[in-house]
Amino acid sequence: MSSVVRLRGLPFETNEAELINFFTPLPVVSAVITYDLSGRPSGEGFVTFADPGAAAGALAYNRQHLGRRYVEVFESTPQEMASKTNQGYQAAHAQQTDGVVRMRGLPFDCTPQQVVEFFAGFSITEHNVTLGIVADGKFQGQASGEGWVQFPSQELAAAALHSKNKQMIGGRYVELF
């Protein structure tokens, strides 16, 4: 195991100092909050510990509360941390989307019309929306909670990412990538 852990489910207002305090008394070297392509906190972060033993001890903090949210703690690597925190990598990825935005967290009964209404003003129709279906297993043929939207341009896709990420559809917040 490396000396790095990944955190998911962080309150969006969390800062690095709060992450360090969360793991008291473990010896934390550094903490990093990740941001989405629009520059907002993603709800994820990484913490580097003084040694792999301390990082292994940090796994005991899995599902402990930070503020009002429980935080998931996973083993990670310095390479994963570098790839997730490298803004240049994220910007390059955004340029390769060809105007397609991925949606995660859709209500299972979401319709293409609801997605069109969600992106009102961004020039999309139901023909631009693809909703995911589970391909196999117990839930085969049912909605997966994911979707993809083809925007007329990369600029509109970027604007939609910036203004609509983590907004609500049918009582659920939807993440955009």
Side-chain angles (χ1 to χ4, degrees), residues 19-150:
L19 290 184
I20 292 169
N21 288 336
F22 179 71
F23 287 108
T24 300
L26 297 176
V28 174
V29 173
S30 65
V32 178
I33 304 285
T34 62
Y35 295 88
D36 63 22
L37 295 173
S38 64
R40 291 187 260 180
S42 67
E44 294 191 5
F46 292 87
V47 175
T48 303
F49 292 89
D51 57 71
L59 296 176
Y61 289 71
N62 187 42
R63 298 197 180 256
Q64 296 296 314
H65 281 80
L66 179 60
R68 297 183 322 184
R69 297 192 57 155
Y70 74 85
V71 176
E72 295 175 282
V73 182
F74 304 95
E75 290 183 31
S76 188
T77 64
Q79 295 82 5
E80 180 184 22
M81 181 173 72
S83 73
K84 296 273 186 156
T85 59
N86 183 339
Q87 295 299 319
Y89 168 82
Q90 291 178 350
H93 176 72
Q95 292 173 358
Q96 297 171 3
T97 64
D98 294 329
V100 175
V101 171
R102 178 177 166 232
M103 306 175 76
R104 179 173 68 190
L106 292 169
F108 295 117
D109 61 352
C110 187
T111 65
Q113 181 57 41
Q114 287 175 296
V115 174
V116 170
E117 291 167 7
F118 179 75
F119 288 113
F122 287 98
S123 304
I124 66 163
T125 67
E126 290 185 30
H127 298 290
N128 302 104
V129 177
T130 302
L131 298 177
I133 302 293
V134 177
D136 59 5
K138 179 179 177 182
F139 299 104
Q140 181 176 2
Q142 296 181 16
S144 67
E146 293 186 320
W148 296 264
V149 179
Q150 174 71 57

